[in-house]
Amino acid sequence: MVRPQVPEGVHRQPRLRRTGALLTSLSALIATTVVAGPAVAAGPGGPCDLERTDAHHSEGLDTWNSRYPRPVRRLDAAMVFLSFPDAKPRVTPARLAADHVPATPDFFKRASYGKFALRVHPLRRWLTMPQRSTAYAIQRDWNAKSRAAYLRDAIASADPHLDFGRYDLVYLVADPDAPGVDADATKVVNFEKPLRADGVDLRRLVTVFEHHPPDRNVLAHETGHVFDLPDLYHRPKDTDASAEWDTYVGDWDLMGSQFGMAPDPFGWHKWKLGWLGARQIACAARSGVFAHTLSPLNRPEGTKLVFVPVSPSTGYAIEARASGGNDEAICKPGVLISRVDTGVDSGGGPVTIMDSTPHGRGCTRERNVHPGLSDAAYAPGEIFRTETNGLRIRVRVTGRDAAGDFGVEITRRASGGARG
């Protein structure tokens, strides 16, 4: 019996935000001379390796959840195309495959600095499901019985044509024009008890119900769930149709929105997934003042993350973001600061952005998912302050050098200490 556990999906923008453009520019500033302070090395067992909790898709990285494949090697994905008796497909499997490949593998190649290769193998023919598309009652919050029937029939339809044992993950792509297909239902479905096919356990499947052409980066978002990454968007209650979806991280990080202008994964996620090494992470776990130079995440070299732990499960991540790579359309380069909480479930706000301009309109472009957070990064001369867990934390962006790297000065004191 198929027992779907937790379906996870992307969100859809309820409307296009058409607002006037607000241009924000940064002067190129030369970083001040800095002297290393009381930062400590990050790595296995270190004070910045926040604990992985029982939260769904916990952001903890002290251990890896072995139920998920870790994307530090080549992974092979099968892409299966499913049609239905009540609709003749209007588009070929080859065209649907081209909607996602090579865009999705290229996204991960850039994000991982070439450390991860996703190889997608499309089954270039339609496989017909036994039931009409409308019989499965496909929708975002899918009835468990109907969803189980769909997955059972999909696996049975694919099994004669596919050796599941050859693949690390499976994408089930439905005919986008079938009358019962709901584009809002694209999800990863996890199983309480793995399914068996061709002698291997299937712990999760990616069900794709996208329009043609699909949302930008939608398959990369769903693949992020396969690697134990959480949803970072805020899903309003069904009764609150006017509420915002993107209040936690806005345009930052793919797991916040497939529409984001700066979708490169956070430095914390790159560390979690194994794409950053311990030498690229600085850990501000002791009291004092120290400085560092951060290289933007879109470049492979240099220090990528300074982390300030404030408890075994929470802390502040400090990283640099600039135009280039997956962040080519970024609105405001600078130093991005976010709060990480490993005890918060996927979709509950495990990461929240600290906004440098909380009362500003942001970079208002038509494509922004949340203009107010699009300019959240701190520019040279700007300061972030917070007081939490008996600690007073101050982060000042000291400048930007000719290479595009940002200087930061972090002050960590007990709350009773003198203000910095």
Side-chain angles (χ1 to χ4, degrees):
M1 177 180 179
V2 179
R3 293 183 176 179
Q5 183 185 29
V6 182
E8 302 147 311
V10 295
H11 84 274
R12 310 287 172 185
Q13 289 177 289
R15 60 189 181 281
L16 287 176
R17 298 176 176 89
R18 301 181 184 275
T19 50
L22 175 64
L23 301 178
T24 302
S25 60
L26 289 179
S27 300
L29 300 178
I30 303 300
T32 57
T33 301
V34 297
V35 179
V40 297
C48 284
D49 297 1
L50 298 189
E51 61 186 13
R52 183 163 59 88
T53 70
D54 291 334
H56 183 48
H57 288 318
S58 171
E59 290 283 21
L61 49 69
D62 62 335
T63 57
W64 178 258
N65 189 342
S66 61
R67 292 173 60 88
Y68 294 87
R70 199 173 195 190
V72 289
R73 59 179 176 86
R74 169 177 165 172
L75 294 177
D76 291 278
M79 182 172 282
V80 178
F81 301 92
L82 302 172
S83 63
F84 305 88
D86 57 336
K88 182 178 180 180
R90 303 174 189 171
V91 62
T92 65
R95 288 185 63 187
L96 291 180
D99 284 344
H100 306 289
V101 182
T104 301
D106 286 351
F107 180 93
F108 285 113
K109 182 178 180 180
R110 291 187 295 266
S112 69
Y113 315 113
K115 295 181 180 179
F116 166 49
L118 176 65
R119 301 290 179 87
V120 181
H121 305 269
L123 189 64
R124 298 185 181 277
R125 55 171 293 184
W126 286 109
L127 303 180
T128 305
M129 295 281 276
Q131 301 293 325
R132 297 166 64 90
S133 63
T134 53
Y136 296 107
I138 300 165
Q139 57 185 321
R140 183 183 183 90
D141 296 315
W142 210 349
N143 173 276
K145 184 177 179 180
S146 298
R147 184 171 63 237
Y150 179 86
L151 295 172
R152 181 182 62 245
D153 288 350
I155 293 169
S157 298
D159 198 26
H161 309 277
L162 187 72
D163 181 1
F164 286 94
R166 295 178 54 192
Y167 302 102
D168 302 286
L169 57 156
V170 178
Y171 301 117
L172 300 175
V173 182
D175 175 8
D177 299 307
V181 170
D182 180 358
D184 203 35
T186 294
K187 296 182 188 298
V188 173
V189 181
N190 298 301
F191 302 110
E192 293 178 359
K193 184 179 180 180
L195 300 176
R196 294 286 293 179
D198 295 323
V200 297
D201 286 342
L202 301 178
R203 296 187 179 277
R204 61 195 52 83
L205 295 167
V206 185
T207 56
V208 181
F209 300 103
E210 292 299 301
H211 296 298
H212 170 69
D215 289 344
R216 180 171 55 95
N217 287 331
V218 64
L219 197 65
H221 174 105
E222 294 301 341
T223 305
H225 288 311
V226 176
F227 304 145
D228 200 21
L229 296 184
D231 278 322
L232 298 183
Y233 57 81
H234 161 255
R235 183 180 179 184
K237 295 181 180 179
D238 291 340
T239 56
D240 192 2
S242 64
E244 295 282 358
W245 285 74
D246 305 291
T247 54
Y248 292 141
V249 302
D251 285 80
W252 307 93
D253 196 289
L254 174 78
M255 303 313 294
S257 175
Q258 72 270 28
F259 302 103
M261 302 291 286
D264 208 30
F266 288 130
W268 184 263
H269 282 169
K270 294 192 180 198
W271 189 18
K272 177 180 178 179
L273 296 176
W275 300 340
L276 295 179
R279 293 184 178 182
Q280 295 181 285
I281 315 295
C283 180
R286 299 193 294 261
S287 294
V289 180
F290 70 97
H292 228 290
T293 300
L294 288 170
S295 170
L297 281 187
N298 61 65
R299 304 206 314 258
E301 75 286 346
T303 300
K304 298 300 177 188
L305 180 68
V306 179
F307 195 75
V308 185
V310 297
S311 81
S313 62
T314 59
Y316 290 88
I318 305 165
E319 64 191 54
R321 304 292 284 265
S323 179
N326 291 328
D327 284 350
E328 185 176 1
I330 196 170
C331 284
K332 178 188 175 185
V335 173
L336 194 66
I337 302 173
S338 57
R339 187 176 188 273
V340 179
D341 190 333
T342 69
V344 176
D345 283 325
S346 172
V351 180
T352 51
I353 292 292
M354 306 294 106
D355 192 357
S356 66
T357 57
H359 304 296
R361 295 177 58 199
C363 304
T364 50
R365 299 177 183 173
E366 182 177 297
R367 287 175 59 193
N368 286 141
V369 300
H370 190 79
L373 284 178
S374 60
D375 63 346
Y378 287 74
E382 294 183 329
I383 297 173
F384 165 75
R385 293 185 178 90
T386 189
E387 193 167 333
T388 180
N389 286 36
L391 296 171
R392 184 174 292 136
I393 297 165
R394 177 180 184 266
V395 181
R396 181 171 68 92
V397 182
T398 57
R400 189 178 189 186
D401 64 19
D405 295 340
F406 290 86
V408 292
E409 179 187 80
I410 295 98
T411 303
R412 178 191 176 111
R413 304 285 191 197
S415 293
R419 290 186 177 274

